[in-house]
Amino acid sequence: MLQVKNLTITHKKDNRVLLDKFNLILNDGDKCAIIGEEGNGKSTLLKLIVNEELVDDYVDFSGEIIRNNNVIGYLAQELKPEEKAKTIYEFMCELPMFFELTPQELADAGRKLNLTVELFYSEQKMGELSGGEKIKLQLARLMLMRPNVLLLDEPSNDLDIDSLRWLEQFINDAKIPVLYISHDETLLENTANKIVHLEQLKRKQECKYTVEKAGYRDYVNRRISGLAHQEQVARKERAEYDKQQEKFRQIQQKVEHAQNVISRQNPSGGRLLKKSMHRIKAYEARFEKEYENMTEIPETEDAIFIKFGEKAYMPAGKTVLEYELPKLTVEDRVLARDIFLRIKGPEKVCIIGRNGCGKTTLLRKIAEELLKRKDIKASYMPQNYEELLNFDLTPVKFLSETGDKEETSRIRTYLGSMKYTPDEMLHKIGDLSGGQKAKLLLLKMSMSGSDVLILDEPTRNFSPLSGPVIRDMLKGFGGTIITISHDRKYIKEVADVVYELTESGLKVFEGEL
């Protein structure tokens, strides 16, 4: 068992309370998913449970974390720079028991993740691996630790579809508590039996948390239904209250008018009016009490909102891309041969494939070709945001072209629609969460008037509650989309055609997602 008692977390930079008096008990068999919008403190909570030193430089906290001498297996959202510089062998050697494991034990761990034993001893740098390969190696190292509590920060990021299915099975089969963050709605629906929902309300001035023993879809449906009912009751009570108030005001005005015109020769009438005014004052006090006890209109943290590419248009007959590549290589390795891809009009194309097969390398090559074209306006969202984002700039500076007052005001309005607070608009981009960085890139694309979007894992850092908004936004885009994704809901709802990258090129995918 792992327990968190009365935990309060406050951000040092803007003194914002992320969590207030938070309580959580994790028992064996709990598959507890943490959900919430970007920047709400989900990763901070996981880090704090693992080791206070991981967050000491940017938050203050109080409360108690009872770990009960548990061996905690922790998967961070990103590798540290020094870990990226290590070879795979050096990375595995950081696990003390690595040298005690038999080749068979290593083979068993690797086989579950489609990793060879030889890879564990490779001299290849961790930073050179694909996103999915990095996640798999970290998961393999965690499994070999034999932990009795698992804390996983975005374990589904960049995993291919087969590995996602394995991860779902892994979480479901775990006898130990698993506390995890994921933006993959399908994975959440298939695994979670307990939900922790972190919210920041009133423009991030007030925090709220909910802990509920429920599956993800049940929780979301009950929440939507409960909030709708609460709002209906609250609005009905307010409408009734307004009617009562109007009636009360009419009576009050009549009595006040009568008091003003009554003659001094009618003292009994004056006494009656005085009693009437006392009754009116009593009604007023009662109405105020009723107002205080009314059902509250629910305060919720809405998903992001942005009107994206409203004017984007691509004629159906236009050839957007006709791409041929005899060999796709990384350094000396040939990953695929005889690649051919033709895209016409406003097609929405998705490329899938196993981790390390070269999808990101291929998409980057396609982007290089399309970005220099003059007959289209293309924009590219890489998997690694550092390729396009200057982490020392603020969001406002990054989006600015002219820097004039009118443009700055417009940018602030757009950022507000993406749920940035005024403070966050002036934070360095490097201090923002992965989801907030992704929002910036999408916003830049929207402002640029692009009619071709090249997207590498576009939904990977958005909360599951924002996922439907992002999918609807891209589904309604009038231009062309070329994307890599392992997000099964995105593929089903947005993609017109799905290609699988194999060693012998791109093949139309007709399998089950």
Side-chain angles (χ1 to χ4, degrees), residues 170 208 253 283 295 331 372 418 431 463:
F170 173 75
K208 175 186 174 183
Q253 285 169 1
Y283 284 142
T295 304
E331 296 179 346
K372 62 189 179 189
M418 296 290 250
D431 294 335
S463 86

Side-chain angles (χ1 to χ4, degrees), residues 49-248:
I49 293 172
V50 175
N51 185 346
E52 292 91 340
E53 293 179 3
L54 295 175
V55 299
D56 211 24
D57 59 334
Y58 69 95
V59 297
D60 291 316
F61 55 89
S62 61
E64 192 176 2
I65 299 170
I66 303 169
R67 299 182 180 88
N68 292 318
N69 297 316
N70 283 307
V71 176
I72 297 177
Y74 170 58
L75 174 76
Q77 190 176 121
E78 293 182 3
L79 287 172
K80 298 173 187 173
E82 57 269 26
E83 289 176 321
K84 290 180 182 178
K86 286 182 166 63
T87 66
I88 296 172
Y89 178 60
E90 289 170 337
F91 181 75
M92 295 304 297
C93 285
E94 289 180 347
L95 184 67
M97 64 183 68
F98 180 68
F99 301 103
E100 301 169 15
L101 297 167
T102 66
Q104 186 59 50
E105 287 172 317
L106 287 174
D108 289 343
R111 185 171 55 254
K112 290 175 181 176
L113 284 161
N114 199 25
L115 302 173
T116 64
V117 173
E118 290 75 24
L119 186 64
F120 294 137
Y121 296 93
S122 171
E123 292 299 310
Q124 188 178 4
K125 301 285 187 187
M126 288 291 294
E128 296 171 358
L129 298 172
S130 71
E133 287 172 319
K134 291 188 189 98
I135 295 286
K136 285 182 177 181
L137 273 166
Q138 291 176 85
L139 284 171
R141 196 173 74 166
L142 279 187
M143 290 163 58
L144 295 170
M145 280 177 59
R146 301 188 182 97
N148 42 29
V149 176
L150 275 176
L151 272 58
L152 310 176
D153 195 347
E154 292 295 351
S156 52
N157 264 7
D158 307 321
L159 289 181
D160 57 42
I161 291 170
D162 286 342
S163 297
L164 282 170
R165 291 199 187 99
W166 173 85
L167 179 62
E168 289 173 1
Q169 194 65 47
F170 173 75
I171 292 173
N172 285 329
D173 289 347
K175 307 299 183 199
I176 61 177
V178 185
L179 180 65
Y180 59 108
I181 301 166
S182 178
H183 296 155
D184 187 313
E185 289 171 72
T186 306
L187 180 132
L188 291 172
E189 289 171 353
N190 292 343
T191 58
N193 61 21
K194 193 171 190 175
I195 301 294
V196 172
H197 186 184
L198 307 186
E199 297 180 86
Q200 292 281 311
L201 311 175
K202 298 177 181 176
R203 294 191 67 79
K204 301 195 177 181
Q205 297 302 304
E206 183 180 302
C207 63
K208 175 186 174 183
Y209 77 87
T210 305
V211 178
E212 191 167 319
K213 189 78 174 173
Y216 174 74
R217 187 50 55 195
D218 285 344
Y219 170 75
V220 170
N221 289 341
R222 271 208 301 272
R223 179 174 183 267
I224 292 169
S225 175
L227 290 173
H229 177 70
Q230 182 182 337
E231 183 169 359
Q232 185 180 26
V233 170
R235 295 198 183 281
K236 187 176 179 182
E237 287 177 359
R238 277 157 181 73
E240 188 63 35
Y241 175 80
D242 289 341
K243 283 183 190 175
Q244 290 176 334
Q245 281 286 293
E246 182 57 33
K247 192 174 180 181
F248 168 74

Side-chain angles (χ1 to χ4, degrees), residues 286-461:
R286 194 184 82 194
F287 287 150
E288 286 177 4
K289 191 73 175 173
E290 284 179 4
Y291 187 79
E292 288 173 7
N293 293 328
M294 272 186 194
T295 304
E296 290 185 7
I297 293 176
E299 176 78 32
T300 61
E301 182 180 41
D302 297 325
I304 66 168
F305 171 77
I306 180 176
K307 291 181 179 178
F308 191 86
E310 289 180 289
K311 297 179 181 177
Y313 171 73
M314 185 63 68
K318 183 177 178 63
T319 299
V320 177
L321 180 69
E322 191 158 291
Y323 185 79
E324 290 186 70
L325 187 67
K327 282 195 303 186
L328 177 65
T329 61
V330 172
E331 296 179 346
D332 296 330
R333 288 188 298 149
V334 178
L335 300 176
R337 296 179 185 274
D338 302 323
I339 291 171
F340 177 76
L341 180 61
R342 180 189 288 124
I343 299 174
K344 286 198 166 197
E347 269 192 307
K348 294 171 177 61
V349 171
C350 183
I351 299 171
I352 64 171
R354 60 178 176 75
N355 292 129
C357 71
K359 299 185 299 296
T360 291
T361 303
L362 175 61
L363 196 70
R364 194 179 289 120
K365 287 180 179 293
I366 291 171
E368 287 171 4
E369 181 163 313
L370 292 176
L371 289 170
K372 62 189 179 189
R373 288 258 297 274
K374 301 298 183 186
D375 60 322
I376 59 173
K377 175 65 176 174
S379 290
Y380 174 48
M381 181 182 186
Q383 188 181 115
N384 180 6
Y385 303 147
E386 289 182 60
E387 290 180 30
L388 294 183
L389 292 176
N390 182 339
F391 282 13
D392 290 327
L393 293 180
T394 66
V396 173
K397 285 284 186 187
F398 172 73
L399 295 171
S400 293
E401 294 287 342
T402 64
D404 63 47
K405 187 180 287 187
E406 185 180 337
E407 182 196 54
T408 301
S409 176
R410 189 168 66 253
I411 287 169
R412 285 178 172 274
T413 300
Y414 290 151
L415 287 169
S417 76
M418 296 290 250
K419 305 303 175 188
Y420 278 81
T421 66
D423 283 336
E424 287 169 339
M425 295 177 195
L426 299 176
H427 283 182
K428 285 185 178 181
I429 292 173
D431 294 335
L432 301 176
S433 70
Q436 288 169 313
K437 291 169 187 168
K439 287 177 183 178
L440 268 186
L441 290 173
L442 282 178
L443 194 49
K444 186 82 167 178
M445 287 179 165
S446 178
M447 292 172 66
S448 72
S450 299
D451 51 19
V452 177
L453 304 182
I454 309 151
L455 310 172
D456 195 344
E457 295 285 0
T459 61
R460 65 195 288 265
N461 278 310

